[in-house]
Amino acid sequence: MLPRCAFSVCHVLVLVLCLSAAEDFDWTKNNHGSFYYGTFPAGFSWGAGSSAYQTEGAWDKDGKGLSIWDVFSHKKGKIQQNETGDSSCEGYYKVKDDVSLMKELKLNHYRFSISWPRLIPTGIKSDHINEKGIQYYDELIDHLLENKITPIVTLYHWDLPQVLQEKYGGWQNISMVNYFNDYANLCFEKFGNRVKYWITFNNPWSVAVEGYETGEHAPGLKMRGTGAYRAAHHIIKAHAKVWHTYDTQWRAKQKGLVGISLSGDWGEPVDISNQKDIEAAERYVQFYLGWFATPIFHGDYPQVMKDFIGRKSVQQGLGTSRLPTFSPQEKSYIKGTCDFLGIGHFTTRYITQKNYPSGRSSSSYFTDRDLAELVDPRWPDPGSEWLYSVPWGFRRLLNFVKTQYGNPMIYVTENGVSEKMLCTELCDDWRIQYYKDYINEMLKAIKDGVNVKGYTAWSLLDKFEWDEGFSERFGLYYVDFRNKNKPRYPKASVQFYKRIVSSNGFPNQREVENWRRKAVETCSSSNQLLAADPLTSHMEMVTEIVVPTVCTLSILLSAIFLMFLLRRRN
Ligand code: NOJ
């Protein structure tokens, strides 16, 4: 995916300096084939993840303020079936239960996010701090640590306080940088004695593109061709400011790390002998991961973004590029603000060159890239429409990060697969296959020399999947959302992932096949349990609604009947 000349320069350097005996990753070969049996480096960290709005519920409890997702999901027509995260998994009330699920999995870390409006209801620290919110996260962190599970904490997983959206236009406004910094500072002050891994933003690509360009996500704005670039610009500045705050005020005492979690699909040229396709695929990755990673590691946007958006802006008769610019001071302030890089990765696309007319009305992030995305119909696609299982793309993306950004320390912060099931299905053989193959490609990437330190399965529980509501289930644990107690049931993948975790990899073919067989065998009994559950909900309905209603009606009727009798006597 790199220009060919870059590969040869790399190769020459490696030969001349004789730095390493390890072979460089060969980008020209599609070596998707064989499975690699082996283990991960000692100390590799295994985890699972969640985010506040997707799992906590308790949207208006204990002094929490509204977030843009509370407001967006309550608008009709924004979310499938008009579902909301109001109660979701009720994670707010189930800290102990959920930590015991993590223990069952033998996890080393748990990745979760803090809800900004739960801590600071208006988003503005000087207005009010919600002590109950602090207590909740205190309890969660303490409970994790008591169980030897390391918390990896995201500060922003998309739930901006609504007041900041209404007053200032959210991430369109530069004032978010200081408000976010105040909030982050509060988190460092309250939790930093125990939390050593901080992620400033989760997947800012989605915040920018889906929040401000397509409007599919909160706050639902469609500012095509400009909104996403401006939002991203402010997010990058906010990230850098928070990193500096930690670096200057907290690092010496707390000795933690601050990173960012970026998502990136891999883009593979449709025709690897066609230079136009090779360049288009490189553009795809640069407009996705590179948009955020390049400023953070190198100080400025990828050259290809500056060139393409700049040229199109001129053609559209604009005086300046729609892509904002960083001043020289800002560049050096932003460069290097990453102690570790979080990578969220799910899928891959084939990419080919495609020109879009550059008229002003058609300007958008998507047309700026001049490319088309394709998929191979043979790729498995069990759940979300966009999520095809293409494990080899993961190894390629990880190698791209290594070569482009100087082999940073990586934590995989999200990787997993969903299902779209009308009936309940705990025997998720296809998820076992997905995890097995993706984790194996990560192992190969580590063998290639990529510095991956941890892996986070996405997600611990089924949960609110943004505009898809509850229709897409990513969990290792199934959550019965029909039951108001939101019980959790292990899917077969729990057993399988647990084996990978306790063996720190894949010991040999016989064992791995055994794990899989056993996992699928045991899931059928849990399936029966779950099948019995509608009966429980039914019984609950009988006791909570039907019985009281019948009693009240009987009392009323008896009273009427008595009155009738008395009248007749008189
Ligand atoms: C990335 C988002 O960060 C996460 O919240 C979501 O559940 C996954 N993508 C799957 O769509």
Side-chain angles (χ1 to χ4, degrees):
M1 280 307 301
L2 281 174
R4 299 252 152 111
C5 56
F7 299 137
S8 32
V9 170
C10 270
H11 279 123
V12 170
L13 273 178
V14 170
L15 283 174
V16 170
L17 299 171
C18 291
L19 280 178
S20 134
E23 266 179 49
D24 246 11
F25 183 66
D26 186 346
W27 296 88
T28 59
K29 276 196 195 146
N30 263 357
N31 44 352
H32 317 153
S34 56
F35 196 84
Y36 180 84
Y37 289 94
T39 50
F40 284 80
F44 190 82
S45 187
W46 297 98
S50 74
S51 84
Y53 186 72
Q54 292 181 281
T55 47
E56 280 178 7
W59 71 295
D60 59 350
K61 296 290 184 304
D62 289 348
K64 175 182 166 293
L66 290 182
S67 82
I68 53 173
W69 271 96
D70 292 315
V71 173
F72 186 71
S73 65
H74 280 109
K75 288 188 185 150
K76 291 272 165 290
K78 300 293 182 194
I79 313 290
Q80 285 239 359
Q81 314 278 344
N82 290 319
E83 286 165 331
T84 71
D86 290 3
S87 58
S88 192
C89 311
E90 301 276 26
Y92 186 70
Y93 303 105
K94 287 179 177 282
V95 168
K96 294 212 162 126
D97 296 354
D98 288 343
V99 174
S100 59
L101 303 181
M102 298 171 212
K103 278 206 84 174
E104 166 64 24
L105 278 161
K106 301 197 168 28
L107 298 186
N108 307 114
H109 72 258
Y110 177 53
R111 178 188 175 214
F112 66 92
S113 77
I114 294 181
S115 156
W116 182 352
R118 197 180 288 290
L119 242 50
I120 306 175
T122 63
I124 302 168
K125 190 174 162 190
S126 55
D127 284 351
H128 173 61
I129 294 171
N130 180 27
E131 283 306 322
K132 287 240 165 106
I134 308 249
Q135 270 168 31
Y136 165 67
Y137 293 110
D138 264 340
E139 191 197 329
L140 172 58
I141 293 164
D142 287 344
H143 204 59
L144 287 168
L145 291 173
E146 279 158 23
N147 287 283
K148 303 201 169 32
I149 300 169
T150 304
I152 298 190
V153 181
T154 307
L155 293 168
Y156 188 83
H157 202 125
W158 306 359
D159 42 0
L160 185 79
Q162 173 67 11
V163 170
L164 295 181
Q165 189 66 45
E166 278 170 19
K167 263 195 170 170
Y168 303 103
W171 291 107
Q172 291 303 296
N173 195 307
I174 186 73
S175 64
M176 289 311 99
V177 174
N178 285 338
Y179 292 131
F180 182 66
N181 186 57
D182 290 346
Y183 155 62
N185 215 349
L186 175 70
C187 293
F188 299 149
E189 179 197 328
K190 300 287 180 190
F191 313 122
N193 56 342
R194 287 155 293 158
V195 173
K196 304 299 163 191
Y197 294 86
W198 293 100
I199 292 170
T200 54
F201 287 90
N202 172 72
N203 191 354
W205 183 93
S206 260
V207 177
V209 173
E210 293 173 300
Y212 294 89
E213 169 95 20
T214 67
E216 292 157 292
H217 282 188
L221 300 174
K222 295 181 181 150
M223 310 164 99
R224 291 191 202 277
T226 55
Y229 297 133
R230 201 175 305 121
H233 201 66
H234 296 148
I235 288 174
I236 293 165
K237 288 187 179 183
H239 159 82
K241 177 141 192 173
V242 166
W243 185 90
H244 280 286
T245 297
Y246 190 82
D247 200 46
T248 52
Q249 297 180 34
W250 302 101
R251 191 188 295 282
K253 194 153 54 156
Q254 300 186 344
K255 304 196 167 45
L257 302 173
V258 178
I260 187 167
S261 173
L262 303 180
S263 69
D265 294 351
W266 178 244
E268 182 76 4
V270 166
D271 175 358
I272 52 162
S273 61
N274 178 337
Q275 189 57 29
K276 287 229 149 81
D277 280 3
I278 294 174
E279 283 166 14
E282 160 107 29
R283 264 199 316 282
Y284 177 79
V285 181
Q286 293 293 4
F287 267 75
Y288 210 138
L289 179 75
W291 183 5
F292 299 90
T294 319
I296 288 169
F297 286 99
H298 300 306
D300 201 0
Y301 291 117
Q303 191 58 42
V304 73
M305 284 187 81
K306 295 198 279 186
D307 291 348
F308 271 62
I309 304 164
R311 178 170 46 78
K312 291 199 180 219
S313 304
V314 171
Q315 286 165 357
Q316 287 155 355
L318 299 170
T320 52
S321 174
R322 285 180 282 103
L323 182 70
T325 50
F326 294 116
S327 70
Q329 291 84 344
E330 286 169 343
K331 287 180 193 171
S332 54
Y333 184 76
I334 292 166
K335 185 176 170 177
T337 53
C338 203
D339 304 324
F340 67 92
L341 179 62
I343 289 286
H345 174 78
F346 293 88
T347 195
T348 283
R349 292 287 181 270
Y350 277 120
I351 305 294
T352 187
Q353 151 82 24
K354 178 178 175 183
N355 286 329
Y356 287 91
S358 49
R360 209 182 261 199
S361 59
S362 63
S363 98
S364 90
Y365 163 84
F366 293 99
T367 55
D368 281 342
R369 303 175 306 172
D370 275 348
L371 56 88
E373 301 176 33
L374 303 166
V375 295
D376 183 334
R378 290 165 304 182
W379 288 343
D381 173 27
S384 314
E385 230 175 282
W386 53 271
L387 207 173
Y388 294 84
S389 172
V390 194
W392 52 263
F394 193 22
R395 179 179 181 185
R396 293 186 158 243
L397 183 80
L398 291 171
N399 270 284
F400 178 90
V401 170
K402 174 187 165 209
T403 1
Q404 292 266 315
Y405 312 118
N407 205 10
M409 186 204 289
I410 295 176
Y411 277 81
V412 173
T413 39
E414 285 184 22
N415 176 242
V417 67
S418 56
E419 74 240 24
K420 249 191 175 132
M421 284 286 159
L422 294 177
C423 48
T424 50
E425 180 54 285
L426 298 181
C427 301
D428 54 347
D429 201 26
W430 72 92
R431 182 173 285 107
I432 291 183
Q433 186 70 40
Y434 180 99
Y435 276 130
K436 177 174 172 241
D437 292 342
Y438 269 76
I439 292 174
N440 199 245
E441 291 298 317
M442 175 174 69
L443 179 57
K444 290 180 192 167
I446 292 176
K447 291 267 157 206
D448 298 331
V450 184
N451 189 13
V452 187
K453 295 287 190 199
Y455 173 86
T456 315
W458 192 261
S459 47
L460 180 71
L461 304 175
D462 290 339
K463 59 196 170 350
F464 182 81
E465 185 51 36
W466 309 113
D467 51 324
E468 302 297 340
F470 295 99
S471 67
E472 294 179 6
R473 294 173 172 270
F474 275 84
L476 289 161
Y477 284 90
Y478 179 94
V479 177
D480 186 355
F481 296 107
R482 297 162 308 175
N483 183 325
K484 80 172 184 2
N485 295 322
K486 314 293 168 92
R488 285 87 157 117
Y489 298 87
K491 300 181 191 174
S493 47
V494 164
Q495 296 310 321
F496 189 79
Y497 186 49
K498 185 175 153 180
R499 300 289 189 167
I500 299 180
V501 171
S502 38
S503 307
N504 198 28
F506 307 96
N508 59 61
Q509 185 168 5
R510 199 172 46 84
E511 262 192 71
V512 175
E513 287 311 316
N514 247 340
W515 296 348
R516 184 177 187 152
R517 218 190 24 258
K518 283 199 186 134
V520 178
E521 269 165 26
T522 47
C523 71
S524 52
S525 53
S526 337
N527 236 355
Q528 281 163 13
L529 260 178
L530 186 56
D533 208 56
L535 189 65
T536 323
S537 325
H538 184 76
M539 292 304 289
E540 263 172 20
M541 197 178 80
V542 170
T543 49
E544 287 173 15
I545 303 171
V546 181
V547 173
T549 316
V550 170
C551 288
T552 321
L553 276 177
S554 320
I555 294 170
L556 266 174
L557 281 175
S558 323
I560 292 171
F561 186 63
L562 256 177
M563 274 167 58
F564 174 74
L565 278 183
L566 285 173
R567 281 229 179 127
R568 279 197 63 183
R569 269 202 192 161
N570 296 338

